[in-house]
Amino acid sequence: MRRRRFLAGSLAATALPFLIACGPRTPSNRTIASTAAPPSPTALPRIPTAFADTGALPGTDFMPESFTWLRGRYLVGCGGNSWWYGNPQSGEYRYFTAVGPEAESMELVVMNSAEDFYALQEQLGPANVLTDEIMVVDAESRYGYIVTTTVRAGTVPESTWQAHVLKVDLEAATVRQCLALDVEADVDTAIGNWAMALNAAGTRLSLASGNLSGACHIWAVDTASMQITLKDPHHLGNDEFHQISGDAVVTGTSDSGGAAEGSYPPYIVYSLETGNMVSQENNLDTYLLGSWLYWLETAYDAWRIMDVTIGEEVTLTDQPPVGAPDARPKVWETGGYSVVHTDSALDVRPLGSPTAALSLSADAGDTIPAALAVHRDVVYAAYPSAAHELQLIDLTTGEQLATARLGTEEDGIDREPQTLAVAEVGAGYFYTRGGACTFHAATDWLT
């Protein structure tokens, strides 16, 4: 697909950003449905253009909290003695119960009220969530994967203990398979000490311990058979966990996070296909985004990008922003795109692309979004001057499609820019720790 680079024009204090393409504009063939009905679970994904006010989740009195995420067509969350998920389109939410470690002993029960969930007693089966992600969901929103245990969070194990990886059929509300992992006693049981990710095809689930403290251990799991295909890549040793995707893992040592540029030891990137080392990076700004490794060589003010599945670098046509020594860039993946964000510049490109799809610079008079997400090749951008509004920009044409209200004028953006999430069912700000999440159900869509 041909990539274009778009720049925002200069803005007046009250003006909203409007993107133009460098060259003739291509009219968008997308139209806004004025009386759109919520799409069925089997309908093709659509692009939301209007959102309801925040509050209780649609169809329930349940309020989103700090451990809540938007995963495809579903909201997921945890708290107390279990976890839950639900579809805001249908208004149906379910919480997890288990009387044993087998899939047959697990049930996803319809949640009629928030009281149902909060009144749950401690479960006999593995119901305590181990990851901040809570659940990862494949691209079709068919299966979700969650890592749980019967061990109470924060307990210091005296011997080997078990974690359980659950494969959940989301539409059928059934736990299809359960994989038990034997875990060494040196692995902390606190929620958030584990991390997990799926590869793009949804065929490999990767798991890691040591996100907060304790030993780093790595597992790769085939999602069809729910069997372990890799445990602890070669030479993992005493390295500390840093990042994981469905294709690779980045580790380091206790000195990596605070080491000076170019100092040893570096970050080490391992393939979860082979267990072999793919790369070593001596750069603090190193990011694993799906199957792509982004790293910033600050000595040269240059970004480099590698496909970790084949170990080959991309020759960049234009460079993302590098930030400043006292203001490092924020880098994340959203909707199949990478985002490199600084206070004065922004770069949005398809993962691994040599060319930016959207490039903004304060030096050129552009306004930099305070928060941004991508859904189906459309940027949803919130700006400081109108934090309660999202500007929808088509990345394939550069055309501004719509302005959508998200919240009220009193709502500011006091969150990290990557906490905005958008899906067919709605949008909101989701972050793991430190305050309540927000969710706004979609009420209108592009067709």
Side-chain angles (χ1 to χ4, degrees):
M1 182 174 66
R2 181 183 170 193
R3 306 295 180 196
R4 296 181 177 136
R5 189 174 184 219
F6 304 108
L7 298 177
S10 300
L11 304 175
T14 58
L16 295 175
F18 181 76
L19 298 190
I20 58 173
C22 298
R25 297 228 354 213
T26 304
S28 174
N29 59 5
R30 291 166 167 158
T31 59
I32 298 178
S34 59
T35 58
S40 69
T42 58
L44 290 176
R46 292 192 282 179
I47 299 167
T49 58
F51 303 94
D53 291 336
T54 190
L57 300 181
T60 180
D61 60 351
F62 199 79
M63 295 291 293
E65 296 187 343
S66 44
F67 283 96
T68 302
W69 291 105
L70 182 59
R71 302 292 189 209
R73 295 198 304 267
Y74 296 91
L75 289 163
V76 301
C78 72
N81 292 311
S82 190
W83 55 273
W84 59 270
Y85 82 98
N87 184 338
Q89 291 178 5
S90 65
E92 183 175 271
Y93 303 84
R94 293 177 178 268
Y95 59 83
F96 176 80
T97 64
V99 296
E102 302 81 17
E104 295 77 13
S105 67
M106 301 172 183
E107 187 177 1
L108 290 159
V109 181
V110 173
M111 180 165 56
N112 295 310
S113 70
E115 185 178 356
D116 290 350
F117 180 73
Y118 290 120
L120 276 176
Q121 300 299 309
E122 185 172 355
Q123 300 296 296
L124 297 176
N128 297 320
V129 174
L130 287 169
T131 68
D132 280 348
E133 294 88 358
I134 304 175
M135 180 186 285
V136 291
V137 174
D138 62 25
E140 291 76 30
S141 292
R142 180 180 180 185
Y143 292 114
Y145 301 86
I146 187 165
V147 186
T148 60
T149 183
T150 57
V151 181
R152 183 174 290 276
T155 301
V156 179
E158 296 181 355
S159 60
T160 300
W161 55 285
Q162 281 195 326
H164 293 78
V165 186
L166 313 183
K167 180 178 181 178
V168 181
D169 185 325
L170 297 169
E171 189 169 348
T174 302
V175 177
R176 294 296 186 191
Q177 293 168 281
C178 177
L179 170 65
L181 302 177
D182 291 325
V183 184
E184 289 82 348
D186 57 359
V187 174
D188 197 316
T189 61
I191 183 172
N193 193 48
W194 288 55
M196 63 178 173
L198 274 174
N199 65 352
T203 57
R204 183 190 301 114
L205 176 69
S206 55
L207 310 167
S209 67
N211 190 37
L212 300 176
S213 62
C216 172
H217 293 288
I218 309 296
W219 294 263
V221 177
D222 176 80
T223 58
S225 65
M226 289 299 287
Q227 296 297 311
I228 297 171
T229 59
L230 179 71
K231 171 66 164 50
D232 288 347
H234 307 313
H235 312 300
L236 184 65
N238 296 320
D239 283 3
E240 292 185 355
F241 169 76
H242 283 275
Q243 302 169 54
I244 198 166
S245 74
D247 297 291
V249 60
V250 179
T251 67
T253 75
S254 58
D255 294 328
S256 294
E261 181 76 25
S263 67
Y264 188 86
Y267 291 127
I268 302 175
V269 185
Y270 295 101
S271 166
L272 294 178
E273 176 71 29
T274 65
N276 296 327
M277 186 179 70
V278 177
S279 181
Q280 288 187 177
E281 304 305 334
N282 289 40
N283 304 281
L284 300 183
D285 292 296
T286 299
Y287 304 90
L288 184 60
L289 308 178
S291 61
W292 299 94
L293 185 72
Y294 286 56
W295 71 98
L296 173 60
E297 293 190 342
T298 52
Y300 304 101
D301 282 344
W303 283 95
R304 297 170 69 180
I305 300 176
M306 173 191 290
D307 183 342
V308 298
T309 63
I310 57 176
E312 292 186 2
E313 281 194 47
V314 175
T315 301
L316 298 183
T317 304
D318 47 29
Q319 279 282 333
V322 300
D326 59 344
R328 310 313 304 144
K330 293 181 174 64
V331 181
W332 70 96
E333 185 272 336
T334 171
Y337 287 76
S338 64
V339 179
V340 180
H341 181 283
T342 71
D343 292 339
S344 59
L346 174 74
D347 178 279
V348 181
R349 64 183 65 208
L351 286 171
S353 172
T355 306
L358 172 64
S359 181
L360 303 177
S361 171
D363 292 340
D366 302 326
T367 299
I368 309 303
L372 180 145
V374 177
H375 173 64
R376 292 183 60 78
D377 301 319
V378 173
V379 162
Y380 289 73
Y383 290 81
S385 60
H388 64 293
E389 293 182 340
L390 298 178
Q391 303 301 307
L392 277 64
I393 303 146
D394 190 330
L395 285 172
T396 62
T397 66
E399 188 168 8
Q400 183 170 333
L401 301 176
T403 298
R405 184 174 66 87
L406 193 72
T408 66
E409 294 184 6
E410 288 73 31
D411 293 328
I413 301 175
D414 56 356
R415 308 166 177 90
E416 293 295 294
Q418 66 269 33
T419 58
L420 177 64
V422 180
E424 178 187 359
V425 297
Y429 289 95
F430 301 89
Y431 47 103
T432 303
R433 303 170 188 273
C437 302
T438 62
F439 175 73
H440 303 259
T443 59
D444 211 351
W445 294 262
L446 289 176
T447 59

